Amino acid sequence: MKKKIAKIAIIKPLHNLFDYEVPDTFKDITPGARVFVEFGKKIVVGFIVSIEDLFKSKSYNIKPILEIIDKSPILDDETLKLILWVSSYYHSPIGQVFGIATPSYLRQGKILPEKLNISKKQETYLFGKNILLTSEQQKAIKTIKNSINKYECFLLDGITGSGKTEVYKNIQKEIYKKKLQTLIIVPEKNLIPELKEYFNTKNMKIAEYHSTLTPKQKFINWNLIQNCKIDIIIGTRSSVFLKIPKLGLIIIDEEHDVSFKNNTEAKYNARDVAIFRSKNKNIPIILGSATPSSETIFNVNNNKYTRIKMRSRVNNKALPTLKVINMSNRKKEIVSEDVIASIKERIYKKEQTLIFLNRRGYSPIITCRDCSWIPSCNNCNLNMTYHKNKKLLICHHCGKVNKYSGKCINCKSKDIFSLGEGTEKIEEIIKNKFPDKNIIRIDSDSTKKKGQTEKIFNDIRNNKYDILIGTQMLSKGHNFPNVTLVVIMNIDQILFSPRLKAIEQLAQQLIQVSGRAGRGNKQGEVILQTSYPENQDLDCLIKNGYEDWMKNLLSLRSSLGLPPHRNWGLIQAKSRKYSDAENFLNNIKNIIIKNKEIEIFGPMPSIMQKKANLYNVNLVIQAKNKTKLNYVIKDCIPSIKDIPYSNKIRWSVDIDPIDYD
């Protein structure tokens, strides 16, 4: 009898699979099952990726598999192929990809309960009351239904309030009739409750899958999903890896959102992974957005995706009016008198106001008038944000926290003043102006308790608050029918950001948060405060709209040879010494530079040069052809171990990077 070896993935940041001998007693072992193996001096859980014949030419000692955990594979062939593709495409350590793709209970070697008996009883599906669809919704549904049995990527490009969710629901109805499952992926978990409620009808089985579930809840939901006990899965980016045997449709809501990109550990973009999965599975996928990303529009223009436009709000609701307030001559005003007057008007009408400022804390900078001291983070060499309510200075990049007494640490002066403002400061100003009104601040500082965000959003819909003050948490996908005024503050610094996606993200935020106004039966208004109303990007966006603005952006990026017209890969090195990281990348550059079909930029410091006491240095690799880009990077990775002191450098690869931090 020929000996067999198993290629096994170990849940560690390692690029390689490891060979283990399959004992003769383990006859029925199959890929996708878990096993216990000896790794170093520890017994760990491993996932079998493949089984091959053991050739005598193997010169190294091969350890045997110690124990089989699963009688049958817990990961099917499709899921294994997906994990392998993600590891290969993004050059991510395969062990980390397996870690992201599976709940912690599985990685710990816990046993699945006995397979559930799936009821064969035909259930009656009750879809609730019929909703009168707009002609655009009807057209969208018809277009997608025609391709429901095959792969096609649809961009559902609908303005805020055009009823994209109702289109999702109608397509999911068809999927349900075929006894298939639907996966809906959202950028943030706080969007799940509203979606879950929207899709929740009698006999409909819905499961959540996201990071805030307990390990036990994730394990239970994972098991229900893989046993086809769930009709709709609503989750955040890691849900793209779920084993869904009867997957018939994938929906990516707010496809433009950068939160779909995982920038820690194994780097991947859940939207793009979902597109690969749907193509491989030969099922349709819907990308929904009022502000589609530049990459998606680029693919539409190249006939890779089908674009469906929806340009009218449901029930012919009017789009909000826009008023721009020039703050360049109002240096002492933080909240303009025009805004205060408009808020008073909304309060009189018993309507709600949303004030948007994408910066938490009280002030991003405080300084001493006597000695010019500014508190900075020693780990990042960046200013620390002042949080007045907690009397803390916090670095929003590495998380370092310092207590603050109100005195200058340098000269002990109490003459301290703040520069710039965050949500705390705006809350303080608004409460002073409207002391008897119900005001709520919504940001990551004020919504840390479990279930708090969901309760706050329900209270908003029940009109318990007059004024809402918040960050981007309020800008995405939420429906607040009584919000008729949206105030957008302090966007100016983003207009001049060096980040590749900064201006695109700003445009998306402006459109998205503006779309929160007037979603009910009342006319909405948006007020934008800026010191640069004549900024070219801002002017184009306001006068011509997002679609024309995006055409200009893509044209500019084409002329400059920037993504999505070019393909970028990023190799980042982190070290306590800048020179060590730079030398490391120079060695990689010398390996790659032999290839004339690519361009290399760097080594150069990241936008955030130092973070968490480590210097960040980047090497950007550009190619017209993505296959060539991936080949070049893949070819150089095995040589990295031969670079002097490479074991002292933290390095990572990022394909299609969003930012260069």
Side-chain angles (χ1 to χ4, degrees):
M1 183 183 290
K2 285 186 178 179
K3 292 284 187 178
K4 299 282 186 180
I5 60 166
K7 298 281 186 181
I8 292 178
I10 307 296
I11 312 300
K12 292 188 180 290
L14 300 165
H15 287 266
N16 299 326
L17 298 172
F18 295 88
D19 292 346
Y20 286 86
E21 184 180 346
V22 180
D24 294 339
T25 52
F26 298 165
K27 295 180 181 179
D28 300 326
I29 196 167
T30 54
R34 296 170 299 161
V35 293
F36 284 117
V37 294
E38 185 180 351
F39 189 78
K41 295 181 180 181
K42 295 183 178 180
I43 308 298
V44 300
V45 175
F47 289 81
I48 298 176
V49 175
S50 64
I51 297 176
E52 302 172 2
D53 290 327
L54 175 61
F55 295 100
K56 293 181 179 180
S57 60
K58 296 279 187 184
S59 59
Y60 52 89
N61 292 324
I62 302 177
K63 297 178 180 178
I65 293 171
L66 301 177
E67 185 182 343
I68 299 175
I69 300 173
D70 306 303
K71 295 178 182 178
S72 58
I74 60 164
L75 300 179
D76 57 11
D77 186 58
E78 186 215 349
T79 308
L80 284 175
K81 286 180 178 177
L82 185 67
I83 292 171
L84 292 171
W85 178 83
V86 168
S87 176
S88 174
Y89 180 84
Y90 290 100
H91 306 282
S92 296
I94 191 165
Q96 286 186 330
V97 181
F98 267 93
I100 291 169
T102 53
S104 61
Y105 273 27
L106 291 184
R107 304 193 299 271
Q108 294 165 9
K110 295 195 177 186
I111 306 296
L112 289 170
E114 291 296 320
K115 192 172 181 179
L116 303 172
N117 294 319
I118 302 173
S119 175
K120 296 182 180 179
K121 182 182 177 182
Q122 181 66 42
E123 296 180 347
T124 303
Y125 191 96
L126 302 178
F127 296 103
K129 65 178 182 180
N130 292 323
I131 294 175
L132 186 63
L133 299 172
T134 67
S135 59
E136 288 183 330
Q137 287 175 316
Q138 292 174 21
K139 186 179 178 181
I141 292 165
K142 184 179 178 180
T143 302
I144 299 171
K145 281 173 69 174
N146 288 338
S147 297
I148 208 161
N149 295 315
K150 61 180 182 181
Y151 165 76
E152 191 163 353
C153 184
F154 296 96
L155 167 62
L156 189 60
D157 179 2
I159 63 170
T160 55
S162 60
K164 293 185 291 293
T165 309
E166 188 61 30
V167 174
Y168 299 158
K169 189 173 182 179
N170 275 266
I171 300 301
Q172 187 273 329
K173 182 192 303 184
E174 298 301 313
I175 298 297
Y176 179 87
K177 288 176 180 177
K178 293 177 178 292
K179 300 181 180 180
L180 298 175
Q181 298 166 287
T182 297
L183 172 63
I184 304 173
I185 307 179
V186 296
E188 293 183 7
K189 65 181 186 301
N190 62 50
L191 295 172
I192 292 177
E194 195 170 333
L195 267 178
K196 189 175 178 181
E197 183 179 345
Y198 197 91
F199 278 89
N200 190 26
T201 51
K202 191 174 180 180
N203 294 317
M204 177 59 64
K205 298 181 263 320
I206 304 174
E208 301 176 32
Y209 197 86
H210 49 82
S211 60
T212 55
L213 294 177
T214 66
K216 185 177 181 180
Q217 286 173 321
K218 288 189 80 171
F219 186 65
I220 291 171
N221 287 1
W222 188 92
N223 194 37
L224 288 169
I225 293 163
Q226 66 108 19
N227 277 289
C228 303
K229 288 290 188 177
I230 301 297
D231 304 304
I232 302 175
I233 304 100
I234 308 177
T236 50
R237 61 182 179 232
S238 66
S239 62
V240 75
F241 294 103
L242 283 167
K243 178 185 175 183
I244 311 174
K246 294 185 179 181
L247 183 61
L249 172 69
I250 301 177
I251 297 169
I252 307 293
D253 196 32
E254 311 293 352
E255 70 83 24
H256 64 275
D257 201 293
V258 295
S259 299
F260 286 120
K261 184 65 183 284
N262 184 49
N263 286 312
T264 61
E265 300 177 331
K267 301 180 190 295
Y268 68 96
N269 190 312
R271 177 198 62 200
D272 299 341
V273 175
I275 292 169
F276 171 84
R277 184 171 187 180
S278 63
K279 191 173 184 178
N280 193 54
K281 188 94 172 164
N282 199 29
I283 60 172
I285 181 169
I286 305 172
L287 312 180
S289 179
T291 53
S293 64
S294 55
E295 314 84 82
T296 295
I297 297 297
F298 179 79
N299 284 317
V300 167
N301 294 341
N302 285 283
N303 300 316
K304 291 184 177 180
Y305 304 165
T306 300
R307 187 180 197 173
I308 303 171
K309 294 183 181 181
M310 293 167 54
R311 292 292 176 264
S312 301
R313 282 185 156 186
V314 173
N315 296 328
N316 292 316
K317 296 171 187 172
L319 288 168
T321 59
L322 176 64
K323 181 180 180 180
V324 179
I325 297 176
N326 189 343
M327 300 293 289
S328 59
N329 297 317
R330 307 186 189 193
K331 300 296 184 184
K332 294 183 179 180
E333 278 189 82
I334 295 174
V335 182
S336 69
E337 288 302 317
D338 305 67
V339 167
I340 298 301
S342 293
I343 295 174
K344 286 180 179 177
E345 184 183 344
R346 304 297 159 172
I347 290 173
Y348 177 76
K349 292 180 178 179
K350 296 184 178 181
E351 297 169 0
Q352 295 169 306
T353 296
L354 189 160
I355 302 175
F356 173 78
L357 173 62
N358 204 23
R359 182 192 286 158
R360 61 193 174 94
Y362 187 84
S363 178
I365 301 174
I366 59 170
T367 184
C368 175
R369 294 185 191 273
D370 293 335
C371 71
S372 300
W373 164 80
I374 298 176
S376 61
C377 176
N378 294 330
N379 294 334
C380 303
N381 289 343
L382 293 167
N383 297 327
M384 300 187 80
T385 299
Y386 175 40
H387 288 247
K388 187 176 181 179
N389 294 346
K390 297 179 180 179
K391 297 180 180 180
L392 295 174
L393 296 169
I394 303 176
C395 177
H396 287 178
H397 304 287
C398 72
K400 184 178 179 180
V401 178
N402 290 338
K403 292 182 179 179
Y404 178 61
S405 64
K407 298 180 182 178
C408 173
I409 294 177
N410 188 44
C411 71
K412 309 303 178 185
S413 170
K414 292 184 179 179
D415 194 2
I416 307 294
F417 71 100
S418 60
L419 297 171
E421 56 279 338
T423 49
E424 273 189 27
K425 191 172 187 176
I426 300 301
E427 181 186 29
E428 181 180 88
I429 293 169
I430 296 299
K431 281 185 174 180
N432 286 335
K433 294 286 185 180
F434 303 98
D436 59 337
K437 299 304 172 186
N438 294 321
I439 299 165
I440 183 100
R441 172 169 57 87
I442 305 154
D443 54 31
S444 57
D445 292 329
S446 63
T447 56
K448 289 185 176 181
K449 293 181 180 178
K450 187 177 179 181
Q452 191 173 14
T453 305
E454 187 175 348
K455 182 181 182 304
I456 288 172
F457 287 167
N458 284 332
D459 287 346
I460 292 170
R461 293 185 194 97
N462 291 324
N463 296 317
K464 291 186 178 181
Y465 299 105
D466 303 298
I467 303 169
L468 328 172
I469 303 164
T471 59
Q472 51 84 31
M473 291 177 67
L474 289 173
S475 68
K476 308 172 184 178
H478 299 292
N479 184 23
F480 304 131
N482 202 35
V483 170
T484 56
L485 174 64
V486 169
V487 181
I488 303 171
M489 303 187 63
N490 205 348
I491 61 158
D492 293 346
Q493 64 174 3
I494 308 176
L495 291 171
F496 308 102
S497 172
R499 299 178 186 273
L500 177 67
K501 296 277 281 187
I503 195 65
E504 182 178 342
Q505 288 174 246
L506 172 63
Q508 289 162 346
Q509 277 187 346
L510 286 178
I511 299 296
Q512 291 286 339
V513 74
S514 297
R516 300 313 109 199
R519 294 176 71 94
N521 298 319
K522 302 168 186 175
Q523 177 65 50
E525 180 186 11
V526 178
I527 299 178
L528 171 63
Q529 291 191 171
T530 176
S531 296
Y532 303 95
E534 296 179 358
N535 174 274
Q536 188 175 354
D537 277 295
L538 196 58
D539 186 61
C540 177
L541 187 65
I542 292 170
K543 290 181 179 177
N544 303 330
Y546 185 82
E547 188 171 348
D548 283 351
W549 178 87
M550 178 57 72
K551 287 179 182 177
N552 291 340
L553 179 71
L554 286 172
S555 177
L556 177 64
R557 289 187 179 175
S558 178
S559 65
L560 296 174
L562 295 174
H565 299 275
R566 295 290 188 275
N567 300 289
W568 278 18
L570 172 71
I571 301 179
Q572 186 175 80
K574 299 183 179 184
S575 176
R576 292 190 178 277
K577 292 183 178 179
Y578 182 93
S579 58
D580 287 349
E582 186 180 42
N583 290 335
F584 172 81
L585 291 177
N586 270 320
N587 276 280
I588 293 178
K589 184 177 181 178
N590 291 333
I591 296 169
I592 296 174
I593 208 161
K594 300 171 186 177
N595 196 307
K596 297 181 180 180
E597 296 182 59
I598 59 148
E599 293 179 88
I600 302 175
F601 306 98
M604 55 190 173
S606 297
I607 293 173
M608 193 181 300
Q609 185 172 338
K610 190 180 181 186
K611 182 178 180 180
N613 227 19
L614 293 172
Y615 288 96
N616 302 327
V617 188
N618 295 333
L619 193 71
V620 176
I621 305 162
Q622 176 177 287
K624 290 183 179 180
N625 185 291
K626 189 162 285 187
T627 303
K628 176 59 67 176
L629 174 68
N630 276 285
Y631 173 79
V632 166
I633 295 176
K634 186 178 181 179
D635 197 47
C636 82
I637 288 177
S639 304
I640 290 178
K641 65 179 187 299
D642 299 323
I643 297 174
Y645 309 110
S646 61
N647 60 332
K648 296 182 179 180
I649 303 292
R650 295 184 189 177
W651 62 274
S652 63
V653 177
D654 190 6
I655 299 297
D656 308 323
I658 290 175
D659 276 323
Y660 309 110
D661 290 347

